[in-house]
Amino acid sequence: SDELRIIDTAPEPSFDAAVSLAARLTDCPPALLGFMDRDRHWFKAVVGASTQEVPRDLALCNQTMHKAGLSVVEDLTSDSRFARHPFVVDAYRLRFFASLPLRVEGEVVATLCVYDTQPRSLADTARQGLMQLGQMLEDMLRSRLKEQRSRLQ
């Protein structure tokens, strides 16, 4: 939601901590909290990667963000949506991907995602942990939206 006014803002410790925890819970080196605008997937918080954004049409989350709940792709090379994706075959050689859409007022506003360069499964405890982190992040984003709206009044 544009109302959040979050894209292109400075890092914030609470978002950084949540993404760091997602990486630890899943033992995945890269973890990201991303927000989509018309042209790009911009990362508010990143651990284990150096990129700050990717073109929206290349964002893996673009394929999963409108599904309910956690999406897990154990081997990206075996999934027709991703097998020929440049991040799988070229740039990063990604193999594993998990993504959780974050909703505020019913609208997907962000994604929490983790990646790995090895195919893998995700333990139930890691799945549950990501879902709980997602709830916390949604609460943080709802609070942010409420603050933004009260400033405009």
Side-chain angles (χ1 to χ4, degrees):
S1 169
D2 292 338
E3 272 187 289
L4 282 169
R5 299 182 197 278
I6 200 164
I7 291 181
D8 293 324
T9 59
E12 296 176 46
S14 55
F15 290 119
D16 292 343
V19 169
S20 183
L21 188 54
R24 270 201 227 80
L25 278 170
T26 59
D27 198 27
C28 283
L32 312 158
L33 173 62
F35 293 81
M36 298 273 188
D37 68 11
R38 193 177 66 244
D39 303 317
R40 62 193 169 135
H41 194 197
W42 175 81
F43 306 120
K44 175 68 173 168
V46 179
V47 71
S50 58
T51 188
Q52 273 309 123
E53 65 183 58
V54 297
R56 183 175 179 143
D57 61 337
L58 288 181
L60 296 180
C61 292
N62 227 3
Q63 298 291 326
T64 58
M65 66 187 284
H66 295 293
K67 293 178 72 178
L70 182 66
S71 293
V72 177
V73 182
E74 294 183 356
D75 185 352
L76 290 162
T77 63
S78 299
D79 187 308
S80 60
R81 297 171 297 173
F82 304 108
R84 291 183 171 23
H85 192 284
F87 294 168
V88 174
V89 296
D90 295 324
Y92 305 107
R93 298 212 176 276
L94 298 177
R95 294 296 177 265
F96 169 83
F97 167 65
S99 174
L100 181 64
L102 304 177
R103 298 176 189 277
V104 174
E105 297 181 346
E107 179 186 352
V108 176
V109 296
T111 56
L112 175 63
C113 42
V114 294
Y115 302 91
D116 201 346
T117 54
Q118 303 297 319
R120 55 159 58 227
S121 57
L122 198 58
D124 285 343
T125 53
R127 287 174 187 261
Q128 292 167 0
L130 284 176
M131 297 295 286
Q132 289 171 325
L133 269 176
Q135 290 174 331
M136 292 167 53
L137 286 164
E138 286 176 344
D139 287 345
M140 290 165 57
L141 293 169
R142 270 192 286 282
S143 293
R144 184 185 197 98
L145 182 59
K146 191 175 178 180
E147 287 174 30
Q148 292 293 349
R149 285 178 174 163
S150 67
R151 284 185 194 149
L152 296 174
Q153 291 178 350

